[in-house]
Amino acid sequence: MRYISTRTGGDLRTFTKILLEGLAPDGGLYVPERYPEISTKELDGMRTMSYPELAYTVFSRFADDIPATDLRRIIFDTYTKERFGSDEIVPVKRIDDGLYLLDLSEGPTLAFKDIALQLLGRLFEYALDKERATLTILGATSGDTGSAAEYATRGRKGVQVFMLSPYGRMSEFQRRQMYTLQDENIFNIAVRGTFDDCQDLVKCLNEDAAFKQRYHLGAVNSINWARIAAQVPYYFWGYFRATGSNAEQVSFAVPSGNFGNVLAGYIARRMGLPIKELVVATNENNVLEEFFTTGRYRPRKSGEVVATSSPSMDISKASNFERYLFDLVGRDGTRLRELWSDLRTRGSFDLARTPEFARIGETGLVAGSSAHADRLAAIRLFSAKYSALIDPHTADGVTTGLKHQEPGVPLLCLGTAQAVKFAGTIREALGREAPLPDSYRELAELPERVEIIDANADTLKRYITEHASQHCVSPHMAYTADLIRK
Ligand SMILES: *Cc1c(COP(=O)(O)O)cnc(C)c1O
């Protein structure tokens, strides 16, 4: 398996290379030269596999330059009962006839990003060791991704993390989750300001070439292919739990922001998994719904992004969308550059009445959006009718998913976070508290380890200079990861 960039193609690269590189030098995203195909016979053999076995079988098709014994060990070390709460790793709950919940939120930070990032943390450690390289992650987070990235890299050799978060603006749960980490390679920095101030600081440090080179800091705004590849296996897993034979089709409802989760479903479908529809569910920030229903892709200005009760889906543009669009335009890099150039000059492009737009149907994607009242209604419905507690993001998926449900086609709704992470909305919907998992009870007692600074680039530079591990400073070769996108 070799990888190409969505913009110019470029040299063919191996999985390990793009794992460490992140964004392609031409600004594009890496995609497989072609998607691996899973035959019906292979599919039969996969039906009874355990989660780690299945994850290995699917993921190894994308990472074929890592020796099989090493990759197996890494994957089996990642998806354990200790880390994900049960041997199933991703429990599938039958909710009603033809309705299932695929629960992706049993990992260390109680949200679906753990599934990919827990594996990535280990893959980075492995690849860096092989290349005798180090990695410095400088990121900004408004909550969820930061904690998932920190839990994935804590204690990993050759990796250090400086994570900026807006002081006093995260939920208590999110704050405890991040700031109580005591690992020496994790640095939490609370900035007196907003999430945008945090992002500006990251950008500012990246613009100082000398500093950047010395500490190996780079832009952390792109999307790592390995994250997508690590999300493909759970679509297979969910399919097998909801069907009795490979002659059946299912649909998935996917709460979507940056389009990473649902893109993995699209790739599973391209690999041959019998998926009827992939329902792209957005909240009020409906860039994706707009594209799939009208053909117009118009990223929002940062002032246009609304703060909603499903905050991990509050996005201005859908970073991973470029990978899907690349396929939609027949992998024509010139055409893609044209669209991207329209985007730069006009702020949008429009595929309405083009053959490309007509092709969306073949890809299985449909879309819809929901608002705060819909989320509350879905949380209440699942609680009252099915005694199931869902979080506001999952509720967005459920709302649009149910609108697209068809008789005879099982619908799997992806559960992307645990309700307790969004306690305020649960209280509003149900008038009661979401129970705190045991593993989190002790968080309340742990000391918080965080540096509070003003939103000032010099202050941040001084902090990094004083705290960066000498091992991670030049002359060692180093990479800057793109684990973080929010
Ligand atoms: C990140 C996130 C999403 C959105 O996933 P994308 O891959 O960005 O589409 C949805 N729900 C939760 C809880 C998340 O953390």
Side-chain angles (χ1 to χ4, degrees):
M1 170 69 66
R2 294 291 181 273
Y3 291 87
I4 54 171
S5 160
T6 47
R7 301 277 169 94
T8 53
D11 306 337
L12 297 179
R13 288 171 201 240
T14 61
F15 176 83
T16 306
K17 185 97 184 120
I18 63 155
L19 169 73
L20 294 172
E21 213 179 338
L23 196 67
D26 62 8
L29 303 183
Y30 284 118
V31 288
E33 193 186 8
R34 66 184 73 83
Y35 297 114
E37 275 172 42
I38 305 275
S39 66
T40 325
K41 189 155 165 278
E42 281 175 295
L43 214 52
D44 283 336
M46 289 157 78
R47 181 168 279 278
T48 52
M49 286 180 181
S50 69
Y51 191 86
E53 188 74 49
L54 183 64
Y56 170 75
T57 305
V58 175
F59 193 82
S60 59
R61 303 293 290 266
F62 296 104
D64 58 359
D65 63 327
I66 300 179
T69 46
D70 292 352
L71 188 60
R72 262 193 97 81
R73 179 178 47 76
I74 292 168
I75 290 179
F76 276 74
D77 277 355
T78 303
Y79 299 118
T80 62
K81 183 176 174 178
E82 291 66 50
R83 216 164 295 275
F84 286 89
S86 72
D87 287 322
E88 294 164 282
I89 309 300
V90 175
V92 181
K93 295 176 194 137
R94 188 184 163 280
I95 297 290
D96 202 344
D97 277 347
L99 184 63
Y100 297 82
L101 192 66
L102 181 70
D103 177 7
L104 303 167
S105 65
E106 300 294 333
T109 73
L110 314 183
F112 99 96
K113 290 182 180 72
D114 286 332
I115 306 242
L117 287 175
Q118 283 290 318
L119 178 57
L120 244 66
R122 282 173 178 72
L123 285 171
F124 274 132
E125 188 177 55
Y126 173 82
L128 291 167
D129 182 52
K130 274 212 153 165
E131 303 232 328
R132 300 186 181 290
T134 63
L135 167 76
T136 298
I137 298 168
L138 173 65
T141 183
S142 57
D144 277 351
T145 311
S147 57
E150 289 187 354
Y151 273 75
T153 49
R154 60 189 295 198
R156 303 256 149 242
K157 287 194 283 295
V159 186
Q160 61 182 346
V161 179
F162 292 90
M163 186 65 64
L164 311 183
S165 50
Y167 178 62
R169 286 171 196 256
M170 290 193 297
S171 73
E172 181 179 330
F173 188 90
Q174 290 173 322
R175 199 191 71 226
R176 288 248 168 87
Q177 211 175 28
M178 280 178 65
Y179 298 173
T180 51
L181 286 179
Q182 308 292 323
D183 306 80
E184 277 180 18
N185 67 330
I186 305 290
F187 299 94
N188 282 306
I189 304 171
V191 176
R192 289 191 190 91
T194 62
F195 170 62
D196 284 333
D197 293 326
C198 296
Q199 270 195 318
D200 287 347
L201 282 174
V202 171
K203 214 168 134 207
C204 181
L205 263 62
N206 276 296
E207 281 162 6
D208 179 342
F211 190 86
K212 180 175 171 171
Q213 201 197 351
R214 180 162 164 73
Y215 294 100
H216 322 297
L217 308 175
V220 281
N221 52 6
S222 62
I223 304 300
N224 198 305
W225 168 259
R227 276 179 75 162
I228 306 298
Q231 292 170 179
V232 177
Y234 57 68
Y235 284 90
F236 284 81
W237 176 258
Y239 173 78
F240 293 132
R241 303 285 88 72
T243 57
S245 94
N246 300 336
E248 295 171 53
Q249 281 194 315
V250 304
S251 292
F252 290 93
V254 191
S256 294
N258 266 318
F259 203 70
N261 197 350
V262 73
L263 181 78
Y266 160 78
I267 287 158
R269 193 175 185 272
R270 292 289 304 253
M271 289 171 79
L273 191 67
I275 298 175
K276 177 123 201 253
E277 280 185 343
L278 289 156
V279 181
V280 182
T282 74
N283 64 19
E284 293 89 327
N285 297 291
N286 63 342
V287 193
L288 288 167
E289 184 212 17
E290 186 173 67
F291 172 76
F292 283 103
T293 52
T294 70
R296 181 158 183 244
Y297 183 64
R298 186 182 69 87
R300 311 298 195 241
K301 298 186 187 72
S302 63
E304 279 180 275
V305 179
V306 219
T308 75
S309 50
S310 45
S312 298
M313 290 154 57
D314 293 347
I315 47 103
S316 58
K317 62 178 169 47
S319 319
N320 263 300
F321 178 64
E322 179 164 345
R323 290 186 159 120
Y324 171 77
L325 192 65
F326 183 58
D327 284 353
L328 201 62
V329 299
R331 300 204 144 200
D332 178 348
T334 311
R335 171 79 172 124
L336 193 80
R337 278 199 304 282
E338 226 170 74
L339 294 174
W340 245 242
S341 142
D342 278 0
L343 205 58
R344 258 193 314 277
T345 51
R346 268 176 255 150
S348 69
F349 62 75
D350 196 346
L351 294 187
R353 290 175 298 277
T354 63
E356 288 131 353
F357 189 61
R359 224 175 284 144
I360 288 177
E362 293 163 29
T363 68
L365 277 86
V366 295
S369 72
S370 45
H372 183 67
D374 303 312
R375 286 189 281 281
L376 296 182
I379 292 168
R380 288 184 190 126
L381 172 79
F382 263 55
S383 169
K385 194 162 169 202
Y386 308 120
S387 307
L389 192 59
I390 56 171
D391 98 293
H393 303 80
T394 306
D396 280 316
V398 163
T399 303
T400 302
L402 290 177
K403 284 184 195 153
H404 286 267
Q405 197 178 16
E406 293 167 68
V409 184
L411 174 71
L412 289 101
C413 297
L414 272 54
T416 54
Q418 284 194 28
V420 68
K421 292 194 93 169
F422 305 95
T425 305
I426 299 304
R427 211 174 295 130
E428 186 182 346
L430 303 176
R432 62 181 164 88
E433 296 299 316
L436 193 67
D438 287 342
S439 56
Y440 274 87
R441 240 159 269 216
E442 57 215 48
L443 276 193
E445 272 116 62
L446 288 174
E448 296 190 1
R449 195 167 152 268
V450 59
E451 181 77 14
I452 302 163
I453 66 167
D454 286 328
N456 177 296
D458 289 329
T459 312
L460 178 59
K461 281 181 194 169
R462 207 174 318 122
Y463 182 83
I464 293 175
T465 306
E466 283 165 10
H467 293 87
S469 151
Q470 287 315 302
H471 179 68
C472 288
V473 178
S474 298
H476 288 274
M477 167 130 161
Y479 290 97
T480 308
D482 59 346
L483 274 168
I484 317 302
R485 58 188 158 159
K486 201 171 167 209

